[in-house]
Amino acid sequence: MRRQQLAHVLFAAAVLFAGVAVLLPASPTEARATDGSFTGSVTATRSFINQDGTETPVTSNKVTLNVAQTKDLRGRQEVHVTWDGAIPTGGVVGDPNSSDGRNQEYPFVLLQCRGVDGTVPKGQVAVSPETCWTQTSAERYLAAASHTPSWRMDAYASAEDRAAVVGEPDPLPAECADLAPPLTARWLPFRAAGGDVYYGGPDPNAGCSPLAPESDSAEAGGLPSNTTYGITDTKGHGEADFAVWTAAENASLGCSVKVACSLVAVPIVGVSCDAWGTKLSAPQTTADDTVVLTEAQLTTADTTCRKTGAYQPGESRSSATTDQAVRGNLWWSASNWRNRITVPLTFAATGAVCDAISKESPVELMGSVVLNELTASWRPEFCTSKDLFTFTHVQQADSLARTLVNAGEIDGAFSSAPMPGGYARPVVQAPIAFGGFAIAFSIDDANRQRRESLNLNARLVAKLLTSSYPAAAVVRDNHPSIGGNPLNITLDPEFQALNPGIPESSTLEAAAALQVFSASSDLIWALTSWINGDPEARGFLNGTPDPWGMKVNGSYLGLSLPLDNWPLRDDFMAPQWYQDQNACYAKSPTPFMQLIANPPNNLGAVALNMQYANSSVSTVCRFDGYDLTTLPLKQQGRQTVGYRFVLGVVSLSAARRYNLRTAALQTSSASVAGQTYAVAGRTFVGPDNAGLQAAAKLLTADKAAATWRLDYSKLSTPEGRSAYPGALPVYAVVPTRGLDEKVSTELAKLLCYASSAGQVTGLANGQLPPGYLPVTAENGLGAEHDYLLTAAAAVRKQGGDVPALDIAAPAAETTCDFSAPKPSPTPTESKSPKPTKGPATAPAVPNDVPTAAAPSDKPADSATPPVTEAATVLTSGQESSFGRLGVPGLLFFAVACALAGSLMRWFDPISAAVASAGPKARKAAQRGRRRR
Amino acid sequence: MSTVLHTGVVDASPPPGGGEREPVRIGSSQVLLAVALLIAWFLLYLFVLSGLEQGNAQSELYEELRTELAEGTAPTGAPVAAGSPVALLSIPGAGIDDLVVVEGSRPTQLQDGPGHVLGSVLPGQRGVSVIAGRSLSFGAPFANIADLPYGAPILVTTGQGAFVYEVVSVRTKGDPVPAAPPAEGGRLTLVTAARGGGGLQASQTLYVDATLSDGAVVGGPVSTADIGVPLMSGGLDTATLALLALSLQLLVGALVGFVWAWLKWSRSAAWIAVGPCVLAALWLVSSLGTRLLPGLI
């Protein structure tokens, strides 16, 4: 009876709390959709408080904010933010992320802050201006030469915040004493995740007072700020791509799975003025707290504060000063801050959780950089799931990974290209992902707006890669082979024909380079395969000039492709007069075109350069006050927003993660009669889903290499015309003999996962990130998907099979059922490898050692499917019977002879010794003697 | 003048020494003991004394190779005289330190150290190079190569430079042969007889492959292969037999001398003076005799 009563009470309480939870969320209204996007709105008002205490409303805006993705976020990912109903921005600057954006009038400020709004769970902090990140001290420290700047007149601020000097560090650092004390100052310290407080201040470089370490300039290695002073157009609409940071990018902000962070949008409406202090209990004073502000001062303050903007909506910044009361740098002021929309951000778990959780040593899988985003998504899922295992993906050159798995150094590799000469061990190459390369760009058009599309053909890419654009006048006038070529790609008529509207510039050295990372990778192999398969580009490399007479750089003439590492072959050195003029170049003379190309050393660096429009051309010689003796050549660095032009080769998944714009690549060209260069006959395909699906149809099986390859010659056919040429399948190369049971089971689990849950697209950990086409039958990759199961069965079996590509796949239920022991071989499975034909080549050489001329060959009867191909020659050893029997036989024989001989020779003494042993022995000896 | 009659007991017991059967028994026992001693000597020679012989040969060859390397006259291609040194081999993982590799892989050459098999390129050059070595006798240089792990370094110094190979596979009969090396790479294959049976047996051939990923040089002409004597079968060639016959004659002569000294001189003198001659002749016979055995033993 009592239990029943208790149950009733608990049930009622549960209903009550559920009801309260439903009713609790009030304004601002928020909606967090299941796909992770966020929509919220706020009504932002501004009013003036008159001397008599009455309130005059000024503006009232209903601002709506939409954030495209707020869940499963990853470091440096860009989320798309749009807003409507805000006040249009005046005094517009070119780059909303720059520190100068704070001086715009009515910007829409976006900040990433640590903490949450509302009820703060245990271990988290509340969002406040002190936990929001800004990069420079000017955005946090304000000083005025008057007693009455607008922030002191904020009606919604507390009395302490309206004092003359607020937030000063106590004690003030000694370096600050050297600076003249301002009349009014507002310090806004930044509270870092570890507990440190950085005050910023008038001169952080001199020690007054230091900023967080991530505030270093981008040139010193820091990331450009993600604080956005967004520009609202005259209709009240605005958009921005906001880069979210995890603790890996910004440790002082410290956002992670465990530390809650938010995106805070502050629509600037201006300070609600209360110059007369009607909301205050005591009148305002000057800095030393002695002199009360006079009536005249307060009147000036009121006039200054009531300003609504010196610039027209949408007007660009000129030399006129913007109105202080409506500037973006007052985002923290209570009038603006109270109108904020806080968007909670949830980050996806990174691989760091694996180091903490798993106790076993991870399986190392080495190779392909194309799979970086895929393994970043799968790795936390694998190591936290008890059915799966822990692995690490070591990014490496695919060729090295293939060699290591061939030698038995590692248990699995990711690669795309076939192994030259075949694998010595029996391995299976399972297609676990279909990704590709993309040519990313950050280009601004003539209107200083970001360009969203670009068409590139293989010949243009070949021109960039082979340093055929001189880039600088010194090269054009002195180089032996490229003197007659356009200075950079913007001046190339072919580029202009394909992409009208891009401004020409003869000083843009970054437009003569394509940023390609210098490590070996099959990504470059795919890029050069596409170039090699294009007849125009191949002809250009062989010396045929383009229709305007541009010729290839002589150092690259006749270069044989494909390659997995782009060589820097041009060795042109600038003449002496240039070295005299450029002291840095004189100190470290390098072939000039290599300074233009200056490849970054990994894919991540290229993606970073594309995201922030950094030019890697290192011809800059700038004396910045440091060591005169070194004078290094510096990279050009971040280009000004509005005048950007960078191109780089990245993987498709990296382009999608960092929101990079990707170029459409040419698949076919048809000549049109009467025109030397026909734009109309050319087709360009971008890396969208349709392009990848069409590319999937172009995969042809390469039985010799046991992989599928993209047939670039088919791009010019009608079926191939709509295929994206940058598609690249990635294989997991796993040996099918020699692995121990634990590792083989784990790798088979990886293949089974890749054939099922791993091909579901999504943003959460364990799903297929954007930038890969799922390997499924719907996308035309049915044979590849089935081969994943065949491969998983072969890996589990560890029988040394190399299954043929067209073999019938085993059932997924039995192959991927890891609760049971290994499935027994079914009739459809591959047979064990047959011995090949007899020892090859000259009988003189020991039969089983192949000479360099004879390749390892397969049995002749491999034509009938489904038969396992064991593409190996078996050792036919030699045997020696003497070796087997001789020495032990001799030893045995010797011992026997010695025993027999000694017995016969010394029979009498032996028998006497035996006889003396006992009566029975004596009797036997006697009997023996009598017999004799 | 007349027959004398002895009265008394007639001793009809058999004569002392066992009569006719005694010499046979003694003789056959002596033969058996001699055979056992001979076999014991042979095994001693095979496992211990041949190592001393090889060590002596190696030190001479080392001096020769050192001079050749310093002068730059070390061979880089055919023709190379059989038995002349071509390379220096070190395998830290198998206890091989600065062993001189000679040209040729007949049992005669393999008695001096590892031998470069004719028909393959010299070590360090592009292509496949084969070196054979013994695993039981004559220093047993390749006794431990079966235990080399993947990636173990093999250092070879020839007249064309020093090269570091890395072991990629260890195989015997029935294991797959690795694919041919790429056009600009090199491979080294070490051949020996795999040890078994507690160190007494050496029946199957064992191959250890190692690759040279970069730095393989272009070599001179490749010698024609030697089809006369396969590695694992003994050679009954006439030259060895003739020498063996001569050495046996020498042994017989030494034994005769020993017996003569034993009888006519004094026993201790015979041991001291003629004993070493017998031993030397025996050594010579053993050395020539092992040339009839498989070269990889």
Side-chain angles (χ1 to χ4, degrees), chain A residues 48-51 148 152-155 162 272-278 280 284 293 297-303 305-306:
Chain A
F48 297 145
I49 311 227
N50 305 314
Q51 194 168 8
T148 53
R152 285 194 74 183
M153 309 302 149
D154 194 325
R162 288 176 69 170
S272 294
C273 302
D274 177 31
W276 307 101
T278 52
L280 294 174
Q284 291 179 286
L293 296 174
Q297 285 173 323
L298 292 177
T299 318
T300 329
D302 192 40
T303 323
C305 183
R306 285 182 185 232

PDB file of all heavy atoms in Angstrom, chain A residues 48-51 148 152-155 162 272-278 280 284 293 297-303 305-306:
ATOM      1  N   PHE A  48      16.399  56.972 -25.403  1.00  0.00           N
ATOM      2  CA  PHE A  48      17.151  58.024 -24.721  1.00  0.00           C
ATOM      3  C   PHE A  48      16.395  58.424 -23.464  1.00  0.00           C
ATOM      4  O   PHE A  48      15.167  58.534 -23.484  1.00  0.00           O
ATOM      5  CB  PHE A  48      17.294  59.264 -25.617  1.00  0.00           C
ATOM      6  CG  PHE A  48      18.067  59.015 -26.876  1.00  0.00           C
ATOM      7  CD1 PHE A  48      17.725  59.657 -28.049  1.00  0.00           C
ATOM      8  CD2 PHE A  48      19.134  58.134 -26.899  1.00  0.00           C
ATOM      9  CE1 PHE A  48      18.442  59.446 -29.217  1.00  0.00           C
ATOM     10  CE2 PHE A  48      19.844  57.913 -28.067  1.00  0.00           C
ATOM     11  CZ  PHE A  48      19.494  58.577 -29.237  1.00  0.00           C
ATOM     12  N   ILE A  49      17.102  58.675 -22.424  1.00  0.00           N
ATOM     13  CA  ILE A  49      16.472  59.133 -21.179  1.00  0.00           C
ATOM     14  C   ILE A  49      16.774  60.624 -21.056  1.00  0.00           C
ATOM     15  O   ILE A  49      17.931  61.052 -21.067  1.00  0.00           O
ATOM     16  CB  ILE A  49      17.037  58.372 -19.976  1.00  0.00           C
ATOM     17  CG1 ILE A  49      17.022  56.874 -20.271  1.00  0.00           C
ATOM     18  CG2 ILE A  49      16.294  58.761 -18.731  1.00  0.00           C
ATOM     19  CD1 ILE A  49      16.514  55.986 -19.270  1.00  0.00           C
ATOM     20  N   ASN A  50      15.726  61.374 -20.984  1.00  0.00           N
ATOM     21  CA  ASN A  50      15.875  62.836 -20.959  1.00  0.00           C
ATOM     22  C   ASN A  50      16.198  63.320 -19.554  1.00  0.00           C
ATOM     23  O   ASN A  50      16.180  62.558 -18.600  1.00  0.00           O
ATOM     24  CB  ASN A  50      14.600  63.498 -21.468  1.00  0.00           C
ATOM     25  CG  ASN A  50      14.226  62.977 -22.837  1.00  0.00           C
ATOM     26  OD1 ASN A  50      15.064  62.865 -23.707  1.00  0.00           O
ATOM     27  ND2 ASN A  50      12.963  62.612 -22.994  1.00  0.00           N
ATOM     28  N   GLN A  51      16.453  64.603 -19.488  1.00  0.00           N
ATOM     29  CA  GLN A  51      16.886  65.154 -18.201  1.00  0.00           C
ATOM     30  C   GLN A  51      15.797  65.049 -17.145  1.00  0.00           C
ATOM     31  O   GLN A  51      16.081  64.895 -15.959  1.00  0.00           O
ATOM     32  CB  GLN A  51      17.276  66.630 -18.381  1.00  0.00           C
ATOM     33  CG  GLN A  51      18.038  67.187 -17.206  1.00  0.00           C
ATOM     34  CD  GLN A  51      18.644  68.532 -17.548  1.00  0.00           C
ATOM     35  OE1 GLN A  51      18.375  69.108 -18.597  1.00  0.00           O
ATOM     36  NE2 GLN A  51      19.483  69.033 -16.672  1.00  0.00           N
ATOM     37  N   THR A 148      33.592  62.286 -20.540  1.00  0.00           N
ATOM     38  CA  THR A 148      32.221  61.822 -20.789  1.00  0.00           C
ATOM     39  C   THR A 148      32.083  61.060 -22.093  1.00  0.00           C
ATOM     40  O   THR A 148      31.324  61.452 -22.970  1.00  0.00           O
ATOM     41  CB  THR A 148      31.271  63.014 -20.834  1.00  0.00           C
ATOM     42  OG1 THR A 148      31.792  63.967 -21.792  1.00  0.00           O
ATOM     43  CG2 THR A 148      31.131  63.653 -19.483  1.00  0.00           C
ATOM     44  N   ARG A 152      29.973  55.842 -20.669  1.00  0.00           N
ATOM     45  CA  ARG A 152      29.679  56.216 -19.282  1.00  0.00           C
ATOM     46  C   ARG A 152      28.219  56.610 -19.131  1.00  0.00           C
ATOM     47  O   ARG A 152      27.740  56.779 -18.015  1.00  0.00           O
ATOM     48  CB  ARG A 152      30.552  57.388 -18.849  1.00  0.00           C
ATOM     49  CG  ARG A 152      31.987  57.014 -18.581  1.00  0.00           C
ATOM     50  CD  ARG A 152      32.696  58.101 -17.842  1.00  0.00           C
ATOM     51  NE  ARG A 152      32.277  58.160 -16.440  1.00  0.00           N
ATOM     52  CZ  ARG A 152      32.702  59.058 -15.558  1.00  0.00           C
ATOM     53  NH1 ARG A 152      33.546  60.000 -15.947  1.00  0.00           N
ATOM     54  NH2 ARG A 152      32.280  59.042 -14.317  1.00  0.00           N
ATOM     55  N   MET A 153      27.577  56.772 -20.252  1.00  0.00           N
ATOM     56  CA  MET A 153      26.199  57.266 -20.190  1.00  0.00           C
ATOM     57  C   MET A 153      25.199  56.163 -20.458  1.00  0.00           C
ATOM     58  O   MET A 153      24.049  56.427 -20.766  1.00  0.00           O
ATOM     59  CB  MET A 153      26.000  58.386 -21.225  1.00  0.00           C
ATOM     60  CG  MET A 153      27.045  59.457 -21.152  1.00  0.00           C
ATOM     61  SD  MET A 153      27.069  60.167 -19.517  1.00  0.00           S
ATOM     62  CE  MET A 153      28.752  60.630 -19.337  1.00  0.00           C
ATOM     63  N   ASP A 154      25.641  54.937 -20.347  1.00  0.00           N
ATOM     64  CA  ASP A 154      24.757  53.833 -20.704  1.00  0.00           C
ATOM     65  C   ASP A 154      23.669  53.657 -19.632  1.00  0.00           C
ATOM     66  O   ASP A 154      23.968  53.454 -18.449  1.00  0.00           O
ATOM     67  CB  ASP A 154      25.595  52.543 -20.826  1.00  0.00           C
ATOM     68  CG  ASP A 154      24.856  51.434 -21.505  1.00  0.00           C
ATOM     69  OD1 ASP A 154      23.614  51.319 -21.330  1.00  0.00           O
ATOM     70  OD2 ASP A 154      25.494  50.674 -22.241  1.00  0.00           O
ATOM     71  N   ALA A 155      22.433  53.734 -20.048  1.00  0.00           N
ATOM     72  CA  ALA A 155      21.327  53.684 -19.093  1.00  0.00           C
ATOM     73  C   ALA A 155      21.239  52.334 -18.407  1.00  0.00           C
ATOM     74  O   ALA A 155      20.767  52.244 -17.268  1.00  0.00           O
ATOM     75  CB  ALA A 155      20.022  53.989 -19.815  1.00  0.00           C
ATOM     76  N   ARG A 162      29.874  52.647 -14.772  1.00  0.00           N
ATOM     77  CA  ARG A 162      29.806  53.980 -15.336  1.00  0.00           C
ATOM     78  C   ARG A 162      30.842  54.902 -14.711  1.00  0.00           C
ATOM     79  O   ARG A 162      30.843  56.094 -14.944  1.00  0.00           O
ATOM     80  CB  ARG A 162      28.399  54.546 -15.162  1.00  0.00           C
ATOM     81  CG  ARG A 162      27.395  53.874 -16.066  1.00  0.00           C
ATOM     82  CD  ARG A 162      25.996  54.347 -15.847  1.00  0.00           C
ATOM     83  NE  ARG A 162      25.824  55.721 -16.286  1.00  0.00           N
ATOM     84  CZ  ARG A 162      24.661  56.337 -16.390  1.00  0.00           C
ATOM     85  NH1 ARG A 162      23.560  55.678 -16.077  1.00  0.00           N
ATOM     86  NH2 ARG A 162      24.577  57.587 -16.757  1.00  0.00           N
ATOM     87  N   SER A 272      21.963  53.365 -25.140  1.00  0.00           N
ATOM     88  CA  SER A 272      20.761  54.063 -24.654  1.00  0.00           C
ATOM     89  C   SER A 272      21.224  55.095 -23.636  1.00  0.00           C
ATOM     90  O   SER A 272      21.742  54.763 -22.579  1.00  0.00           O
ATOM     91  CB  SER A 272      19.795  53.067 -23.996  1.00  0.00           C
ATOM     92  OG  SER A 272      19.309  52.170 -24.948  1.00  0.00           O
ATOM     93  N   CYS A 273      21.060  56.359 -24.001  1.00  0.00           N
ATOM     94  CA  CYS A 273      21.750  57.408 -23.259  1.00  0.00           C
ATOM     95  C   CYS A 273      21.027  57.817 -21.983  1.00  0.00           C
ATOM     96  O   CYS A 273      19.814  57.998 -21.960  1.00  0.00           O
ATOM     97  CB  CYS A 273      21.889  58.670 -24.132  1.00  0.00           C
ATOM     98  SG  CYS A 273      22.773  58.314 -25.632  1.00  0.00           S
ATOM     99  N   ASP A 274      21.809  57.956 -20.961  1.00  0.00           N
ATOM    100  CA  ASP A 274      21.286  58.470 -19.689  1.00  0.00           C
ATOM    101  C   ASP A 274      22.331  59.431 -19.145  1.00  0.00           C
ATOM    102  O   ASP A 274      22.927  59.204 -18.092  1.00  0.00           O
ATOM    103  CB  ASP A 274      21.046  57.299 -18.731  1.00  0.00           C
ATOM    104  CG  ASP A 274      20.577  57.767 -17.366  1.00  0.00           C
ATOM    105  OD1 ASP A 274      19.904  58.811 -17.299  1.00  0.00           O
ATOM    106  OD2 ASP A 274      20.913  57.090 -16.367  1.00  0.00           O
ATOM    107  N   ALA A 275      22.544  60.502 -19.917  1.00  0.00           N
ATOM    108  CA  ALA A 275      23.634  61.413 -19.558  1.00  0.00           C
ATOM    109  C   ALA A 275      23.392  62.099 -18.215  1.00  0.00           C
ATOM    110  O   ALA A 275      24.325  62.425 -17.495  1.00  0.00           O
ATOM    111  CB  ALA A 275      23.805  62.460 -20.650  1.00  0.00           C
ATOM    112  N   TRP A 276      22.161  62.290 -17.888  1.00  0.00           N
ATOM    113  CA  TRP A 276      21.861  63.044 -16.673  1.00  0.00           C
ATOM    114  C   TRP A 276      21.873  62.156 -15.448  1.00  0.00           C
ATOM    115  O   TRP A 276      21.622  62.646 -14.335  1.00  0.00           O
ATOM    116  CB  TRP A 276      20.500  63.748 -16.835  1.00  0.00           C
ATOM    117  CG  TRP A 276      20.506  64.541 -18.100  1.00  0.00           C
ATOM    118  CD1 TRP A 276      19.950  64.206 -19.282  1.00  0.00           C
ATOM    119  CD2 TRP A 276      21.147  65.785 -18.310  1.00  0.00           C
ATOM    120  NE1 TRP A 276      20.179  65.143 -20.232  1.00  0.00           N
ATOM    121  CE2 TRP A 276      20.938  66.144 -19.652  1.00  0.00           C
ATOM    122  CE3 TRP A 276      21.884  66.655 -17.494  1.00  0.00           C
ATOM    123  CZ2 TRP A 276      21.417  67.322 -20.198  1.00  0.00           C
ATOM    124  CZ3 TRP A 276      22.364  67.826 -18.065  1.00  0.00           C
ATOM    125  CH2 TRP A 276      22.142  68.138 -19.392  1.00  0.00           C
ATOM    126  N   GLY A 277      22.124  60.923 -15.675  1.00  0.00           N
ATOM    127  CA  GLY A 277      22.286  60.086 -14.492  1.00  0.00           C
ATOM    128  C   GLY A 277      21.019  59.843 -13.710  1.00  0.00           C
ATOM    129  O   GLY A 277      21.070  59.676 -12.493  1.00  0.00           O
ATOM    130  N   THR A 278      19.864  59.872 -14.382  1.00  0.00           N
ATOM    131  CA  THR A 278      18.615  59.691 -13.638  1.00  0.00           C
ATOM    132  C   THR A 278      18.506  58.290 -13.074  1.00  0.00           C
ATOM    133  O   THR A 278      17.791  58.054 -12.114  1.00  0.00           O
ATOM    134  CB  THR A 278      17.411  59.963 -14.550  1.00  0.00           C
ATOM    135  OG1 THR A 278      17.559  59.173 -15.731  1.00  0.00           O
ATOM    136  CG2 THR A 278      17.359  61.419 -14.938  1.00  0.00           C
ATOM    137  N   LEU A 280      20.994  56.703 -11.833  1.00  0.00           N
ATOM    138  CA  LEU A 280      22.042  56.502 -10.834  1.00  0.00           C
ATOM    139  C   LEU A 280      21.633  57.130  -9.522  1.00  0.00           C
ATOM    140  O   LEU A 280      20.866  58.092  -9.476  1.00  0.00           O
ATOM    141  CB  LEU A 280      23.356  57.157 -11.304  1.00  0.00           C
ATOM    142  CG  LEU A 280      24.002  56.547 -12.538  1.00  0.00           C
ATOM    143  CD1 LEU A 280      25.193  57.367 -12.957  1.00  0.00           C
ATOM    144  CD2 LEU A 280      24.426  55.110 -12.256  1.00  0.00           C
ATOM    145  N   GLN A 284      27.860  61.380 -11.380  1.00  0.00           N
ATOM    146  CA  GLN A 284      29.119  60.832 -11.885  1.00  0.00           C
ATOM    147  C   GLN A 284      30.242  61.819 -11.665  1.00  0.00           C
ATOM    148  O   GLN A 284      30.059  63.032 -11.615  1.00  0.00           O
ATOM    149  CB  GLN A 284      28.972  60.526 -13.378  1.00  0.00           C
ATOM    150  CG  GLN A 284      28.027  59.366 -13.625  1.00  0.00           C
ATOM    151  CD  GLN A 284      27.864  59.067 -15.095  1.00  0.00           C
ATOM    152  OE1 GLN A 284      27.202  59.802 -15.808  1.00  0.00           O
ATOM    153  NE2 GLN A 284      28.476  57.994 -15.527  1.00  0.00           N
ATOM    154  N   LEU A 293      30.881  65.844 -12.341  1.00  0.00           N
ATOM    155  CA  LEU A 293      30.756  66.383 -13.691  1.00  0.00           C
ATOM    156  C   LEU A 293      29.798  67.557 -13.708  1.00  0.00           C
ATOM    157  O   LEU A 293      28.745  67.542 -13.082  1.00  0.00           O
ATOM    158  CB  LEU A 293      30.244  65.278 -14.627  1.00  0.00           C
ATOM    159  CG  LEU A 293      31.182  64.080 -14.801  1.00  0.00           C
ATOM    160  CD1 LEU A 293      30.505  63.008 -15.617  1.00  0.00           C
ATOM    161  CD2 LEU A 293      32.493  64.517 -15.441  1.00  0.00           C
ATOM    162  N   GLN A 297      29.348  69.655 -19.063  1.00  0.00           N
ATOM    163  CA  GLN A 297      29.923  68.377 -19.501  1.00  0.00           C
ATOM    164  C   GLN A 297      28.821  67.373 -19.798  1.00  0.00           C
ATOM    165  O   GLN A 297      28.862  66.636 -20.779  1.00  0.00           O
ATOM    166  CB  GLN A 297      30.876  67.825 -18.442  1.00  0.00           C
ATOM    167  CG  GLN A 297      32.205  68.558 -18.392  1.00  0.00           C
ATOM    168  CD  GLN A 297      33.036  68.091 -17.210  1.00  0.00           C
ATOM    169  OE1 GLN A 297      32.507  67.822 -16.141  1.00  0.00           O
ATOM    170  NE2 GLN A 297      34.335  68.042 -17.393  1.00  0.00           N
ATOM    171  N   LEU A 298      27.814  67.365 -18.940  1.00  0.00           N
ATOM    172  CA  LEU A 298      26.751  66.382 -19.138  1.00  0.00           C
ATOM    173  C   LEU A 298      25.949  66.680 -20.396  1.00  0.00           C
ATOM    174  O   LEU A 298      25.483  65.776 -21.083  1.00  0.00           O
ATOM    175  CB  LEU A 298      25.841  66.334 -17.911  1.00  0.00           C
ATOM    176  CG  LEU A 298      26.487  65.772 -16.647  1.00  0.00           C
ATOM    177  CD1 LEU A 298      25.508  65.855 -15.491  1.00  0.00           C
ATOM    178  CD2 LEU A 298      26.929  64.340 -16.846  1.00  0.00           C
ATOM    179  N   THR A 299      25.790  67.972 -20.682  1.00  0.00           N
ATOM    180  CA  THR A 299      25.070  68.314 -21.912  1.00  0.00           C
ATOM    181  C   THR A 299      25.840  67.843 -23.129  1.00  0.00           C
ATOM    182  O   THR A 299      25.276  67.272 -24.077  1.00  0.00           O
ATOM    183  CB  THR A 299      24.854  69.843 -22.001  1.00  0.00           C
ATOM    184  OG1 THR A 299      24.474  70.332 -20.729  1.00  0.00           O
ATOM    185  CG2 THR A 299      23.830  70.174 -23.049  1.00  0.00           C
ATOM    186  N   THR A 300      27.170  68.072 -23.116  1.00  0.00           N
ATOM    187  CA  THR A 300      27.988  67.588 -24.231  1.00  0.00           C
ATOM    188  C   THR A 300      27.873  66.090 -24.348  1.00  0.00           C
ATOM    189  O   THR A 300      27.760  65.541 -25.448  1.00  0.00           O
ATOM    190  CB  THR A 300      29.474  67.951 -23.994  1.00  0.00           C
ATOM    191  OG1 THR A 300      29.579  69.155 -23.265  1.00  0.00           O
ATOM    192  CG2 THR A 300      30.232  67.988 -25.305  1.00  0.00           C
ATOM    193  N   ALA A 301      27.918  65.450 -23.175  1.00  0.00           N
ATOM    194  CA  ALA A 301      27.827  63.989 -23.182  1.00  0.00           C
ATOM    195  C   ALA A 301      26.520  63.539 -23.824  1.00  0.00           C
ATOM    196  O   ALA A 301      26.492  62.608 -24.625  1.00  0.00           O
ATOM    197  CB  ALA A 301      27.936  63.453 -21.758  1.00  0.00           C
ATOM    198  N   ASP A 302      25.455  64.233 -23.475  1.00  0.00           N
ATOM    199  CA  ASP A 302      24.156  63.839 -24.001  1.00  0.00           C
ATOM    200  C   ASP A 302      24.114  64.000 -25.518  1.00  0.00           C
ATOM    201  O   ASP A 302      23.600  63.151 -26.245  1.00  0.00           O
ATOM    202  CB  ASP A 302      23.073  64.691 -23.325  1.00  0.00           C
ATOM    203  CG  ASP A 302      21.696  64.131 -23.596  1.00  0.00           C
ATOM    204  OD1 ASP A 302      21.558  62.896 -23.567  1.00  0.00           O
ATOM    205  OD2 ASP A 302      20.777  64.930 -23.848  1.00  0.00           O
ATOM    206  N   THR A 303      24.672  65.119 -25.968  1.00  0.00           N
ATOM    207  CA  THR A 303      24.675  65.349 -27.415  1.00  0.00           C
ATOM    208  C   THR A 303      25.484  64.284 -28.124  1.00  0.00           C
ATOM    209  O   THR A 303      25.071  63.746 -29.160  1.00  0.00           O
ATOM    210  CB  THR A 303      25.296  66.730 -27.722  1.00  0.00           C
ATOM    211  OG1 THR A 303      24.901  67.643 -26.710  1.00  0.00           O
ATOM    212  CG2 THR A 303      24.888  67.192 -29.086  1.00  0.00           C
ATOM    213  N   CYS A 305      26.180  61.336 -27.089  1.00  0.00           N
ATOM    214  CA  CYS A 305      25.609  59.994 -26.969  1.00  0.00           C
ATOM    215  C   CYS A 305      24.419  59.808 -27.885  1.00  0.00           C
ATOM    216  O   CYS A 305      24.142  58.711 -28.328  1.00  0.00           O
ATOM    217  CB  CYS A 305      25.200  59.775 -25.499  1.00  0.00           C
ATOM    218  SG  CYS A 305      24.557  58.151 -25.174  1.00  0.00           S
ATOM    219  N   ARG A 306      23.683  60.916 -28.148  1.00  0.00           N
ATOM    220  CA  ARG A 306      22.455  60.762 -28.927  1.00  0.00           C
ATOM    221  C   ARG A 306      22.718  60.656 -30.412  1.00  0.00           C
ATOM    222  O   ARG A 306      21.778  60.567 -31.192  1.00  0.00           O
ATOM    223  CB  ARG A 306      21.537  61.947 -28.666  1.00  0.00           C
ATOM    224  CG  ARG A 306      20.883  61.848 -27.319  1.00  0.00           C
ATOM    225  CD  ARG A 306      19.928  62.994 -27.086  1.00  0.00           C
ATOM    226  NE  ARG A 306      19.390  62.945 -25.735  1.00  0.00           N
ATOM    227  CZ  ARG A 306      18.102  62.991 -25.428  1.00  0.00           C
ATOM    228  NH1 ARG A 306      17.225  63.123 -26.391  1.00  0.00           N
ATOM    229  NH2 ARG A 306      17.708  62.950 -24.172  1.00  0.00           N
TER     230      ARG A 306
END
